[in-house]
mmCIF file of all heavy atoms in Angstrom:
data_model
loop_
_atom_site.group_PDB
_atom_site.id
_atom_site.type_symbol
_atom_site.label_atom_id
_atom_site.label_comp_id
_atom_site.label_asym_id
_atom_site.label_seq_id
_atom_site.Cartn_x
_atom_site.Cartn_y
_atom_site.Cartn_z
ATOM 1 N N SER D 1074 30.100 2.011 -3.975
ATOM 2 C CA SER D 1074 30.584 1.923 -5.290
ATOM 3 C C SER D 1074 29.516 2.409 -6.279
ATOM 4 O O SER D 1074 28.416 2.806 -5.712
ATOM 5 C CB SER D 1074 30.819 0.367 -5.627
ATOM 6 O OG SER D 1074 29.721 -0.304 -5.548
ATOM 7 N N VAL D 1075 29.783 2.498 -7.582
ATOM 8 C CA VAL D 1075 28.903 2.744 -8.497
ATOM 9 C C VAL D 1075 27.653 1.957 -8.498
ATOM 10 O O VAL D 1075 26.433 2.434 -8.379
ATOM 11 C CB VAL D 1075 29.483 2.844 -9.894
ATOM 12 C CG1 VAL D 1075 28.376 3.222 -10.977
ATOM 13 C CG2 VAL D 1075 30.651 3.694 -9.948
ATOM 14 N N LEU D 1076 27.762 0.667 -8.426
ATOM 15 C CA LEU D 1076 26.680 -0.216 -8.294
ATOM 16 C C LEU D 1076 25.721 0.011 -7.107
ATOM 17 O O LEU D 1076 24.638 0.148 -7.227
ATOM 18 C CB LEU D 1076 27.226 -1.637 -8.061
ATOM 19 C CG LEU D 1076 26.133 -2.665 -7.936
ATOM 20 C CD1 LEU D 1076 25.641 -3.132 -9.348
ATOM 21 C CD2 LEU D 1076 26.569 -3.905 -7.032
ATOM 22 N N ASP D 1077 26.459 0.365 -5.967
ATOM 23 C CA ASP D 1077 25.724 0.699 -4.767
ATOM 24 C C ASP D 1077 24.767 1.989 -4.988
ATOM 25 O O ASP D 1077 23.681 1.959 -4.705
ATOM 26 C CB ASP D 1077 26.651 0.998 -3.525
ATOM 27 C CG ASP D 1077 25.930 1.176 -2.250
ATOM 28 O OD1 ASP D 1077 24.879 0.616 -2.114
ATOM 29 O OD2 ASP D 1077 26.523 1.797 -1.362
ATOM 30 N N TYR D 1078 25.381 2.963 -5.638
ATOM 31 C CA TYR D 1078 24.511 4.259 -5.882
ATOM 32 C C TYR D 1078 23.341 3.828 -6.890
ATOM 33 O O TYR D 1078 22.372 4.396 -6.648
ATOM 34 C CB TYR D 1078 25.534 5.202 -6.486
ATOM 35 C CG TYR D 1078 26.239 5.945 -5.347
ATOM 36 C CD1 TYR D 1078 27.599 5.940 -5.214
ATOM 37 C CD2 TYR D 1078 25.607 6.635 -4.301
ATOM 38 C CE1 TYR D 1078 28.306 6.497 -4.302
ATOM 39 C CE2 TYR D 1078 26.273 7.151 -3.306
ATOM 40 C CZ TYR D 1078 27.645 7.222 -3.300
ATOM 41 O OH TYR D 1078 28.345 7.678 -2.192
ATOM 42 N N VAL D 1079 23.656 3.149 -7.935
ATOM 43 C CA VAL D 1079 22.719 2.698 -8.837
ATOM 44 C C VAL D 1079 21.504 2.044 -8.008
ATOM 45 O O VAL D 1079 20.353 2.344 -8.270
ATOM 46 C CB VAL D 1079 23.174 1.812 -9.994
ATOM 47 C CG1 VAL D 1079 22.114 1.263 -10.940
ATOM 48 C CG2 VAL D 1079 24.170 2.700 -10.899
ATOM 49 N N VAL D 1080 21.998 1.060 -7.257
ATOM 50 C CA VAL D 1080 20.930 0.266 -6.516
ATOM 51 C C VAL D 1080 20.095 1.222 -5.581
ATOM 52 O O VAL D 1080 18.804 1.210 -5.544
ATOM 53 C CB VAL D 1080 21.532 -0.792 -5.647
ATOM 54 C CG1 VAL D 1080 20.628 -1.428 -4.715
ATOM 55 C CG2 VAL D 1080 22.075 -1.922 -6.574
ATOM 56 N N ARG D 1081 20.665 2.154 -4.922
ATOM 57 C CA ARG D 1081 20.110 2.996 -3.953
ATOM 58 C C ARG D 1081 19.106 3.951 -4.744
ATOM 59 O O ARG D 1081 18.016 4.181 -4.272
ATOM 60 C CB ARG D 1081 20.988 3.845 -3.108
ATOM 61 C CG ARG D 1081 21.633 2.933 -2.045
ATOM 62 C CD ARG D 1081 22.892 3.468 -1.457
ATOM 63 N NE ARG D 1081 22.754 4.718 -0.766
ATOM 64 C CZ ARG D 1081 23.717 5.238 -0.147
ATOM 65 N NH1 ARG D 1081 24.939 4.811 -0.280
ATOM 66 N NH2 ARG D 1081 23.528 6.416 0.533
ATOM 67 N N VAL D 1082 19.543 4.429 -5.908
ATOM 68 C CA VAL D 1082 18.699 5.474 -6.572
ATOM 69 C C VAL D 1082 17.488 4.625 -7.203
ATOM 70 O O VAL D 1082 16.389 5.046 -7.012
ATOM 71 C CB VAL D 1082 19.532 6.038 -7.855
ATOM 72 C CG1 VAL D 1082 18.518 6.651 -8.782
ATOM 73 C CG2 VAL D 1082 20.510 6.998 -7.269
ATOM 74 N N PHE D 1083 17.824 3.404 -7.688
ATOM 75 C CA PHE D 1083 16.726 2.581 -8.229
ATOM 76 C C PHE D 1083 15.725 2.276 -7.104
ATOM 77 O O PHE D 1083 14.548 2.277 -7.274
ATOM 78 C CB PHE D 1083 17.490 1.269 -8.688
ATOM 79 C CG PHE D 1083 16.144 0.268 -9.062
ATOM 80 C CD1 PHE D 1083 15.494 0.468 -10.251
ATOM 81 C CD2 PHE D 1083 15.840 -0.734 -8.197
ATOM 82 C CE1 PHE D 1083 14.516 -0.413 -10.611
ATOM 83 C CE2 PHE D 1083 14.797 -1.456 -8.461
ATOM 84 C CZ PHE D 1083 14.168 -1.478 -9.574
ATOM 85 N N ALA D 1084 16.210 1.932 -5.849
ATOM 86 C CA ALA D 1084 15.278 1.603 -4.819
ATOM 87 C C ALA D 1084 14.411 2.766 -4.438
ATOM 88 O O ALA D 1084 13.191 2.564 -4.224
ATOM 89 C CB ALA D 1084 16.091 1.194 -3.529
ATOM 90 N N VAL D 1085 14.862 4.009 -4.490
ATOM 91 C CA VAL D 1085 13.963 5.130 -4.219
ATOM 92 C C VAL D 1085 12.998 5.310 -5.428
ATOM 93 O O VAL D 1085 11.803 5.596 -5.139
ATOM 94 C CB VAL D 1085 14.861 6.475 -3.980
ATOM 95 C CG1 VAL D 1085 13.993 7.567 -3.817
ATOM 96 C CG2 VAL D 1085 15.665 6.177 -2.669
ATOM 97 N N PHE D 1086 13.419 5.370 -6.649
ATOM 98 C CA PHE D 1086 12.702 5.585 -7.762
ATOM 99 C C PHE D 1086 11.516 4.479 -7.894
ATOM 100 O O PHE D 1086 10.452 4.669 -8.133
ATOM 101 C CB PHE D 1086 13.498 5.760 -9.091
ATOM 102 C CG PHE D 1086 14.114 7.073 -9.272
ATOM 103 C CD1 PHE D 1086 15.097 7.580 -8.642
ATOM 104 C CD2 PHE D 1086 13.281 7.887 -10.076
ATOM 105 C CE1 PHE D 1086 15.584 8.835 -8.795
ATOM 106 C CE2 PHE D 1086 13.731 9.293 -10.221
ATOM 107 C CZ PHE D 1086 14.943 9.728 -9.657
ATOM 108 N N GLY D 1087 12.102 3.228 -7.788
ATOM 109 C CA GLY D 1087 11.263 2.071 -7.938
ATOM 110 C C GLY D 1087 10.101 2.108 -6.916
ATOM 111 O O GLY D 1087 8.925 1.744 -7.340
ATOM 112 N N ALA D 1088 10.310 2.664 -5.874
ATOM 113 C CA ALA D 1088 9.232 2.771 -4.780
ATOM 114 C C ALA D 1088 8.298 3.955 -5.118
ATOM 115 O O ALA D 1088 7.324 4.119 -4.546
ATOM 116 C CB ALA D 1088 9.834 2.970 -3.471
ATOM 117 N N SER D 1089 8.601 4.769 -5.962
ATOM 118 C CA SER D 1089 7.917 6.085 -6.151
ATOM 119 C C SER D 1089 7.017 6.030 -7.468
ATOM 120 O O SER D 1089 5.968 6.706 -7.522
ATOM 121 C CB SER D 1089 8.875 7.301 -6.418
ATOM 122 O OG SER D 1089 9.530 7.398 -5.161
ATOM 123 N N VAL D 1090 7.522 5.380 -8.524
ATOM 124 C CA VAL D 1090 6.671 5.369 -9.665
ATOM 125 C C VAL D 1090 5.572 4.363 -9.638
ATOM 126 O O VAL D 1090 5.853 3.250 -9.384
ATOM 127 C CB VAL D 1090 7.559 4.967 -11.063
ATOM 128 C CG1 VAL D 1090 6.759 5.000 -12.172
ATOM 129 C CG2 VAL D 1090 8.750 5.848 -11.049
ATOM 130 N N PRO D 1091 4.367 4.708 -9.731
ATOM 131 C CA PRO D 1091 3.150 3.870 -9.506
ATOM 132 C C PRO D 1091 3.185 2.819 -10.576
ATOM 133 O O PRO D 1091 3.361 3.018 -11.669
ATOM 134 C CB PRO D 1091 1.919 4.708 -9.592
ATOM 135 C CG PRO D 1091 2.434 6.089 -9.547
ATOM 136 C CD PRO D 1091 3.876 6.230 -9.970
ATOM 137 N N GLU D 1092 2.796 1.573 -10.026
ATOM 138 C CA GLU D 1092 2.749 0.406 -11.006
ATOM 139 C C GLU D 1092 1.809 0.650 -12.176
ATOM 140 O O GLU D 1092 2.162 0.320 -13.228
ATOM 141 C CB GLU D 1092 2.234 -0.829 -10.223
ATOM 142 C CG GLU D 1092 3.438 -1.729 -9.710
ATOM 143 C CD GLU D 1092 2.963 -2.591 -8.576
ATOM 144 O OE1 GLU D 1092 1.729 -2.703 -8.380
ATOM 145 O OE2 GLU D 1092 3.886 -3.152 -8.016
ATOM 146 N N PHE D 1093 0.587 1.239 -12.028
ATOM 147 C CA PHE D 1093 -0.209 1.315 -13.050
ATOM 148 C C PHE D 1093 0.253 2.266 -14.118
ATOM 149 O O PHE D 1093 -0.065 2.041 -15.224
ATOM 150 C CB PHE D 1093 -1.673 1.852 -12.571
ATOM 151 C CG PHE D 1093 -1.806 3.338 -12.242
ATOM 152 C CD1 PHE D 1093 -2.202 4.123 -13.320
ATOM 153 C CD2 PHE D 1093 -1.382 3.895 -11.019
ATOM 154 C CE1 PHE D 1093 -2.191 5.458 -13.177
ATOM 155 C CE2 PHE D 1093 -1.495 5.289 -10.859
ATOM 156 C CZ PHE D 1093 -1.989 6.048 -11.960
ATOM 157 N N PHE D 1094 1.091 3.229 -13.776
ATOM 158 C CA PHE D 1094 1.745 4.071 -14.811
ATOM 159 C C PHE D 1094 2.617 3.326 -15.638
ATOM 160 O O PHE D 1094 2.795 3.353 -16.759
ATOM 161 C CB PHE D 1094 2.344 5.288 -14.049
ATOM 162 C CG PHE D 1094 3.135 6.181 -14.921
ATOM 163 C CD1 PHE D 1094 2.620 6.573 -16.181
ATOM 164 C CD2 PHE D 1094 4.469 6.610 -14.580
ATOM 165 C CE1 PHE D 1094 3.268 7.525 -16.951
ATOM 166 C CE2 PHE D 1094 5.114 7.508 -15.357
ATOM 167 C CZ PHE D 1094 4.614 7.926 -16.576
ATOM 168 N N LEU D 1095 3.520 2.481 -14.994
ATOM 169 C CA LEU D 1095 4.499 1.639 -15.658
ATOM 170 C C LEU D 1095 3.806 0.692 -16.599
ATOM 171 O O LEU D 1095 4.318 0.534 -17.713
ATOM 172 C CB LEU D 1095 5.336 0.855 -14.641
ATOM 173 C CG LEU D 1095 6.528 1.699 -13.903
ATOM 174 C CD1 LEU D 1095 7.237 0.896 -12.986
ATOM 175 C CD2 LEU D 1095 7.422 2.332 -15.008
ATOM 176 N N LEU D 1096 2.816 0.025 -16.039
ATOM 177 C CA LEU D 1096 2.058 -0.901 -16.927
ATOM 178 C C LEU D 1096 1.322 -0.249 -18.070
ATOM 179 O O LEU D 1096 1.402 -0.864 -19.143
ATOM 180 C CB LEU D 1096 0.996 -1.593 -15.902
ATOM 181 C CG LEU D 1096 1.565 -2.544 -15.011
ATOM 182 C CD1 LEU D 1096 0.456 -2.910 -13.924
ATOM 183 C CD2 LEU D 1096 1.928 -3.872 -15.620
ATOM 184 N N THR D 1097 0.924 0.966 -17.809
ATOM 185 C CA THR D 1097 0.353 1.678 -18.944
ATOM 186 C C THR D 1097 1.435 2.040 -20.099
ATOM 187 O O THR D 1097 1.252 1.828 -21.216
ATOM 188 C CB THR D 1097 -0.311 3.023 -18.489
ATOM 189 O OG1 THR D 1097 -1.081 2.746 -17.388
ATOM 190 C CG2 THR D 1097 -1.149 3.753 -19.582
ATOM 191 N N LEU D 1098 2.541 2.458 -19.546
ATOM 192 C CA LEU D 1098 3.765 2.709 -20.551
ATOM 193 C C LEU D 1098 4.093 1.428 -21.208
ATOM 194 O O LEU D 1098 4.415 1.364 -22.392
ATOM 195 C CB LEU D 1098 4.928 3.202 -19.737
ATOM 196 C CG LEU D 1098 4.908 4.645 -19.144
ATOM 197 C CD1 LEU D 1098 6.151 4.944 -18.567
ATOM 198 C CD2 LEU D 1098 4.514 5.546 -20.363
ATOM 199 N N LEU D 1099 3.949 0.294 -20.583
ATOM 200 C CA LEU D 1099 4.211 -1.070 -21.183
ATOM 201 C C LEU D 1099 3.368 -1.382 -22.159
ATOM 202 O O LEU D 1099 3.692 -2.043 -23.314
ATOM 203 C CB LEU D 1099 4.083 -2.188 -20.004
ATOM 204 C CG LEU D 1099 4.583 -3.519 -20.488
ATOM 205 C CD1 LEU D 1099 6.076 -3.524 -20.728
ATOM 206 C CD2 LEU D 1099 4.325 -4.521 -19.345
ATOM 207 N N ILE D 1100 2.139 -0.884 -22.272
ATOM 208 C CA ILE D 1100 1.080 -1.051 -23.253
ATOM 209 C C ILE D 1100 1.362 -0.019 -24.446
ATOM 210 O O ILE D 1100 1.598 -0.412 -25.539
ATOM 211 C CB ILE D 1100 -0.259 -0.902 -22.935
ATOM 212 C CG1 ILE D 1100 -0.655 -2.003 -21.909
ATOM 213 C CG2 ILE D 1100 -1.205 -0.957 -24.032
ATOM 214 C CD1 ILE D 1100 -2.062 -1.996 -21.505
ATOM 215 N N ILE D 1101 1.585 1.258 -24.142
ATOM 216 C CA ILE D 1101 1.614 2.225 -25.140
ATOM 217 C C ILE D 1101 2.933 2.372 -25.899
ATOM 218 O O ILE D 1101 3.041 2.578 -27.018
ATOM 219 C CB ILE D 1101 1.113 3.540 -24.782
ATOM 220 C CG1 ILE D 1101 1.990 4.068 -23.561
ATOM 221 C CG2 ILE D 1101 -0.371 3.481 -24.297
ATOM 222 C CD1 ILE D 1101 1.730 5.588 -23.497
ATOM 223 N N LEU D 1102 4.078 2.294 -25.074
ATOM 224 C CA LEU D 1102 5.373 2.510 -25.706
ATOM 225 C C LEU D 1102 5.686 1.557 -26.765
ATOM 226 O O LEU D 1102 6.126 1.920 -27.839
ATOM 227 C CB LEU D 1102 6.434 2.645 -24.668
ATOM 228 C CG LEU D 1102 6.363 4.009 -23.793
ATOM 229 C CD1 LEU D 1102 7.600 4.111 -22.926
ATOM 230 C CD2 LEU D 1102 6.279 5.186 -24.895
ATOM 231 N N PRO D 1103 5.711 0.205 -26.422
ATOM 232 C CA PRO D 1103 5.925 -0.777 -27.563
ATOM 233 C C PRO D 1103 5.103 -0.547 -28.831
ATOM 234 O O PRO D 1103 5.439 -0.657 -29.866
ATOM 235 C CB PRO D 1103 5.802 -2.089 -26.918
ATOM 236 C CG PRO D 1103 5.898 -1.899 -25.500
ATOM 237 C CD PRO D 1103 5.358 -0.518 -25.302
ATOM 238 N N SER D 1104 3.689 -0.141 -28.485
ATOM 239 C CA SER D 1104 2.824 0.009 -29.575
ATOM 240 C C SER D 1104 3.175 1.143 -30.445
ATOM 241 O O SER D 1104 3.128 1.175 -31.646
ATOM 242 C CB SER D 1104 1.459 0.061 -28.918
ATOM 243 O OG SER D 1104 0.648 0.984 -29.680
ATOM 244 N N TYR D 1105 3.632 2.281 -29.780
ATOM 245 C CA TYR D 1105 3.927 3.539 -30.485
ATOM 246 C C TYR D 1105 5.333 3.375 -31.111
ATOM 247 O O TYR D 1105 5.431 3.794 -32.308
ATOM 248 C CB TYR D 1105 4.110 4.668 -29.386
ATOM 249 C CG TYR D 1105 4.543 6.021 -29.940
ATOM 250 C CD1 TYR D 1105 3.543 6.753 -30.701
ATOM 251 C CD2 TYR D 1105 5.762 6.539 -29.771
ATOM 252 C CE1 TYR D 1105 3.892 7.887 -31.242
ATOM 253 C CE2 TYR D 1105 6.080 7.719 -30.270
ATOM 254 C CZ TYR D 1105 5.110 8.461 -30.974
ATOM 255 O OH TYR D 1105 5.545 9.762 -31.473
ATOM 256 N N LEU D 1106 6.321 2.776 -30.499
ATOM 257 C CA LEU D 1106 7.605 2.773 -31.072
ATOM 258 C C LEU D 1106 7.781 1.624 -32.159
ATOM 259 O O LEU D 1106 8.361 1.800 -33.178
ATOM 260 C CB LEU D 1106 8.675 2.517 -29.959
ATOM 261 C CG LEU D 1106 8.730 3.652 -28.971
ATOM 262 C CD1 LEU D 1106 9.787 3.323 -27.914
ATOM 263 C CD2 LEU D 1106 9.243 4.906 -29.580
ATOM 264 N N PHE D 1107 7.357 0.374 -31.777
ATOM 265 C CA PHE D 1107 7.518 -0.735 -32.689
ATOM 266 C C PHE D 1107 6.248 -1.311 -33.357
ATOM 267 O O PHE D 1107 6.298 -2.305 -33.974
ATOM 268 C CB PHE D 1107 8.225 -1.861 -31.856
ATOM 269 C CG PHE D 1107 9.377 -1.395 -31.152
ATOM 270 C CD1 PHE D 1107 9.273 -1.418 -29.663
ATOM 271 C CD2 PHE D 1107 10.460 -0.745 -31.679
ATOM 272 C CE1 PHE D 1107 10.320 -0.994 -28.850
ATOM 273 C CE2 PHE D 1107 11.536 -0.299 -30.804
ATOM 274 C CZ PHE D 1107 11.482 -0.444 -29.476
ATOM 275 N N ASN D 1108 5.202 -0.634 -33.021
ATOM 276 C CA ASN D 1108 3.863 -1.198 -33.457
ATOM 277 C C ASN D 1108 3.664 -2.615 -32.973
ATOM 278 O O ASN D 1108 3.129 -3.473 -33.624
ATOM 279 C CB ASN D 1108 3.836 -1.066 -34.981
ATOM 280 C CG ASN D 1108 2.357 -0.862 -35.443
ATOM 281 O OD1 ASN D 1108 1.475 -0.816 -34.619
ATOM 282 N ND2 ASN D 1108 2.178 -0.971 -36.763
ATOM 283 N N TYR D 1109 4.044 -2.931 -31.692
ATOM 284 C CA TYR D 1109 3.994 -4.276 -31.179
ATOM 285 C C TYR D 1109 2.876 -4.200 -30.202
ATOM 286 O O TYR D 1109 2.780 -3.373 -29.334
ATOM 287 C CB TYR D 1109 5.387 -4.586 -30.512
ATOM 288 C CG TYR D 1109 5.274 -5.823 -29.614
ATOM 289 C CD1 TYR D 1109 5.481 -7.153 -30.212
ATOM 290 C CD2 TYR D 1109 5.044 -5.709 -28.286
ATOM 291 C CE1 TYR D 1109 5.377 -8.188 -29.423
ATOM 292 C CE2 TYR D 1109 4.952 -6.743 -27.487
ATOM 293 C CZ TYR D 1109 5.216 -8.066 -28.046
ATOM 294 O OH TYR D 1109 5.089 -9.161 -27.248
ATOM 295 N N ALA D 1110 2.120 -5.292 -30.112
ATOM 296 C CA ALA D 1110 1.120 -5.593 -29.058
ATOM 297 C C ALA D 1110 1.290 -6.928 -28.423
ATOM 298 O O ALA D 1110 1.518 -7.979 -29.133
ATOM 299 C CB ALA D 1110 -0.335 -5.435 -29.718
ATOM 300 N N PRO D 1111 1.231 -6.939 -27.173
ATOM 301 C CA PRO D 1111 1.382 -8.259 -26.441
ATOM 302 C C PRO D 1111 0.125 -9.160 -26.801
ATOM 303 O O PRO D 1111 -0.909 -8.473 -26.974
ATOM 304 C CB PRO D 1111 1.430 -7.967 -24.972
ATOM 305 C CG PRO D 1111 0.819 -6.728 -24.822
ATOM 306 C CD PRO D 1111 1.048 -5.916 -26.123
ATOM 307 N N PRO D 1112 0.184 -10.460 -26.709
ATOM 308 C CA PRO D 1112 -0.922 -11.240 -26.921
ATOM 309 C C PRO D 1112 -2.071 -11.045 -25.875
ATOM 310 O O PRO D 1112 -1.697 -10.809 -24.766
ATOM 311 C CB PRO D 1112 -0.522 -12.766 -26.864
ATOM 312 C CG PRO D 1112 0.944 -12.565 -26.213
ATOM 313 C CD PRO D 1112 1.389 -11.294 -26.565
ATOM 314 N N ILE D 1113 -3.189 -10.850 -26.259
ATOM 315 C CA ILE D 1113 -4.362 -10.435 -25.351
ATOM 316 C C ILE D 1113 -5.376 -11.491 -25.215
ATOM 317 O O ILE D 1113 -5.702 -12.181 -26.010
ATOM 318 C CB ILE D 1113 -5.006 -9.145 -25.803
ATOM 319 C CG1 ILE D 1113 -4.149 -7.855 -25.320
ATOM 320 C CG2 ILE D 1113 -6.328 -8.920 -25.287
ATOM 321 C CD1 ILE D 1113 -4.604 -6.623 -25.811
ATOM 322 N N GLY D 1114 -5.873 -11.576 -23.868
ATOM 323 C CA GLY D 1114 -7.028 -12.487 -23.595
ATOM 324 C C GLY D 1114 -6.598 -13.950 -23.574
ATOM 325 O O GLY D 1114 -5.394 -14.241 -24.074
ATOM 326 N N GLY D 1115 -7.497 -14.856 -23.102
ATOM 327 C CA GLY D 1115 -7.112 -16.156 -23.023
ATOM 328 C C GLY D 1115 -5.923 -16.636 -22.201
ATOM 329 O O GLY D 1115 -5.287 -15.686 -21.623
ATOM 330 N N TYR D 1116 -5.656 -17.844 -22.156
ATOM 331 C CA TYR D 1116 -4.472 -18.319 -21.323
ATOM 332 C C TYR D 1116 -3.767 -19.263 -22.286
ATOM 333 O O TYR D 1116 -4.258 -20.227 -22.628
ATOM 334 C CB TYR D 1116 -4.840 -18.946 -20.076
ATOM 335 C CG TYR D 1116 -3.726 -19.507 -19.236
ATOM 336 C CD1 TYR D 1116 -2.636 -18.677 -18.855
ATOM 337 C CD2 TYR D 1116 -3.466 -20.864 -19.124
ATOM 338 C CE1 TYR D 1116 -1.541 -19.013 -18.056
ATOM 339 C CE2 TYR D 1116 -2.442 -21.297 -18.478
ATOM 340 C CZ TYR D 1116 -1.463 -20.458 -17.943
ATOM 341 O OH TYR D 1116 -0.330 -20.943 -17.250
ATOM 342 N N HIS D 1117 -2.477 -18.675 -22.680
ATOM 343 C CA HIS D 1117 -1.719 -19.700 -23.424
ATOM 344 C C HIS D 1117 -0.856 -20.530 -22.507
ATOM 345 O O HIS D 1117 0.037 -20.076 -21.832
ATOM 346 C CB HIS D 1117 -0.827 -18.918 -24.378
ATOM 347 C CG HIS D 1117 -1.767 -17.994 -25.297
ATOM 348 N ND1 HIS D 1117 -2.508 -18.461 -26.210
ATOM 349 C CD2 HIS D 1117 -2.018 -16.647 -25.151
ATOM 350 C CE1 HIS D 1117 -3.122 -17.429 -26.788
ATOM 351 N NE2 HIS D 1117 -2.864 -16.308 -26.247
ATOM 352 N N SER D 1118 -1.046 -21.815 -22.564
ATOM 353 C CA SER D 1118 -0.325 -22.678 -21.668
ATOM 354 C C SER D 1118 1.246 -22.561 -21.779
ATOM 355 O O SER D 1118 1.732 -22.379 -22.965
ATOM 356 C CB SER D 1118 -0.695 -24.128 -21.851
ATOM 357 O OG SER D 1118 0.302 -24.988 -21.360
ATOM 358 N N LEU D 1119 1.881 -22.516 -20.624
ATOM 359 C CA LEU D 1119 3.438 -22.434 -20.719
ATOM 360 C C LEU D 1119 4.084 -23.529 -21.357
ATOM 361 O O LEU D 1119 5.062 -23.482 -22.121
ATOM 362 C CB LEU D 1119 3.858 -22.276 -19.195
ATOM 363 C CG LEU D 1119 5.397 -22.123 -19.069
ATOM 364 C CD1 LEU D 1119 5.884 -20.838 -19.676
ATOM 365 C CD2 LEU D 1119 5.754 -22.085 -17.608
ATOM 366 N N LEU D 1120 3.372 -24.766 -21.318
ATOM 367 C CA LEU D 1120 3.959 -26.054 -21.919
ATOM 368 C C LEU D 1120 3.778 -26.177 -23.289
ATOM 369 O O LEU D 1120 4.565 -26.358 -24.116
ATOM 370 C CB LEU D 1120 3.423 -27.195 -21.106
ATOM 371 C CG LEU D 1120 3.904 -27.335 -19.565
ATOM 372 C CD1 LEU D 1120 3.235 -28.423 -18.914
ATOM 373 C CD2 LEU D 1120 5.381 -27.367 -19.485
ATOM 374 N N ARG D 1121 2.571 -25.764 -23.783
ATOM 375 C CA ARG D 1121 2.216 -25.983 -25.153
ATOM 376 C C ARG D 1121 2.689 -24.774 -25.978
ATOM 377 O O ARG D 1121 3.090 -24.987 -27.170
ATOM 378 C CB ARG D 1121 0.791 -26.199 -25.259
ATOM 379 C CG ARG D 1121 0.413 -27.757 -25.395
ATOM 380 C CD ARG D 1121 -1.041 -27.997 -25.302
ATOM 381 N NE ARG D 1121 -1.635 -27.736 -23.969
ATOM 382 C CZ ARG D 1121 -2.928 -27.283 -23.854
ATOM 383 N NH1 ARG D 1121 -3.603 -27.086 -24.815
ATOM 384 N NH2 ARG D 1121 -3.332 -27.174 -22.598
ATOM 385 N N GLU D 1122 2.385 -23.603 -25.403
ATOM 386 C CA GLU D 1122 2.825 -22.430 -26.252
ATOM 387 C C GLU D 1122 3.802 -21.523 -25.405
ATOM 388 O O GLU D 1122 3.296 -20.439 -24.979
ATOM 389 C CB GLU D 1122 1.545 -21.547 -26.679
ATOM 390 C CG GLU D 1122 0.568 -22.459 -27.604
ATOM 391 C CD GLU D 1122 -0.777 -21.796 -27.513
ATOM 392 O OE1 GLU D 1122 -1.391 -21.757 -26.447
ATOM 393 O OE2 GLU D 1122 -1.142 -21.220 -28.555
ATOM 394 N N PRO D 1123 4.963 -21.959 -25.210
ATOM 395 C CA PRO D 1123 5.903 -21.193 -24.255
ATOM 396 C C PRO D 1123 6.033 -19.780 -24.716
ATOM 397 O O PRO D 1123 6.101 -18.802 -23.884
ATOM 398 C CB PRO D 1123 7.091 -22.041 -24.261
ATOM 399 C CG PRO D 1123 7.082 -22.969 -25.344
ATOM 400 C CD PRO D 1123 5.681 -23.044 -25.712
ATOM 401 N N MET D 1124 6.354 -19.679 -26.055
ATOM 402 C CA MET D 1124 6.644 -18.164 -26.406
ATOM 403 C C MET D 1124 5.538 -17.186 -26.214
ATOM 404 O O MET D 1124 5.747 -16.187 -25.675
ATOM 405 C CB MET D 1124 7.147 -18.305 -27.890
ATOM 406 C CG MET D 1124 8.577 -18.694 -28.099
ATOM 407 S SD MET D 1124 9.676 -17.974 -26.954
ATOM 408 C CE MET D 1124 9.639 -16.228 -27.499
ATOM 409 N N LEU D 1125 4.365 -17.757 -26.659
ATOM 410 C CA LEU D 1125 3.152 -16.955 -26.431
ATOM 411 C C LEU D 1125 2.961 -16.518 -25.132
ATOM 412 O O LEU D 1125 2.622 -15.465 -24.721
ATOM 413 C CB LEU D 1125 2.038 -17.566 -27.166
ATOM 414 C CG LEU D 1125 1.000 -16.788 -27.916
ATOM 415 C CD1 LEU D 1125 1.693 -15.932 -28.800
ATOM 416 C CD2 LEU D 1125 -0.031 -17.664 -28.619
ATOM 417 N N ASN D 1126 3.065 -17.659 -24.274
ATOM 418 C CA ASN D 1126 2.854 -17.569 -22.830
ATOM 419 C C ASN D 1126 3.771 -16.458 -22.318
ATOM 420 O O ASN D 1126 3.349 -15.458 -21.409
ATOM 421 C CB ASN D 1126 3.020 -18.738 -22.121
ATOM 422 C CG ASN D 1126 2.970 -18.784 -20.600
ATOM 423 O OD1 ASN D 1126 3.892 -18.188 -20.045
ATOM 424 N ND2 ASN D 1126 1.857 -19.200 -20.112
ATOM 425 N N LEU D 1127 5.090 -16.584 -22.546
ATOM 426 C CA LEU D 1127 5.994 -15.554 -21.959
ATOM 427 C C LEU D 1127 5.872 -14.138 -22.477
ATOM 428 O O LEU D 1127 6.072 -13.237 -21.700
ATOM 429 C CB LEU D 1127 7.494 -16.082 -22.226
ATOM 430 C CG LEU D 1127 7.861 -17.362 -21.359
ATOM 431 C CD1 LEU D 1127 9.348 -17.694 -21.560
ATOM 432 C CD2 LEU D 1127 7.664 -16.971 -19.828
#
Side-chain angles (χ1 to χ4, degrees):
Chain D
S1074 66
V1075 176
L1076 178 88
D1077 186 24
Y1078 281 115
V1079 172
V1080 166
R1081 280 158 71 180
V1082 167
F1083 171 81
V1085 175
F1086 275 83
S1089 300
V1090 184
E1092 261 158 16
F1093 81 90
F1094 176 46
L1095 286 179
L1096 288 162
T1097 309
L1098 289 182
L1099 188 62
I1100 294 184
I1101 62 160
L1102 286 187
S1104 144
Y1105 179 74
L1106 297 173
F1107 316 115
N1108 211 3
Y1109 166 86
I1113 274 179
Y1116 176 64
H1117 305 283
S1118 156
L1119 181 62
L1120 297 175
R1121 263 174 289 150
E1122 301 161 288
M1124 277 320 289
L1125 215 51
N1126 175 286
L1127 286 181

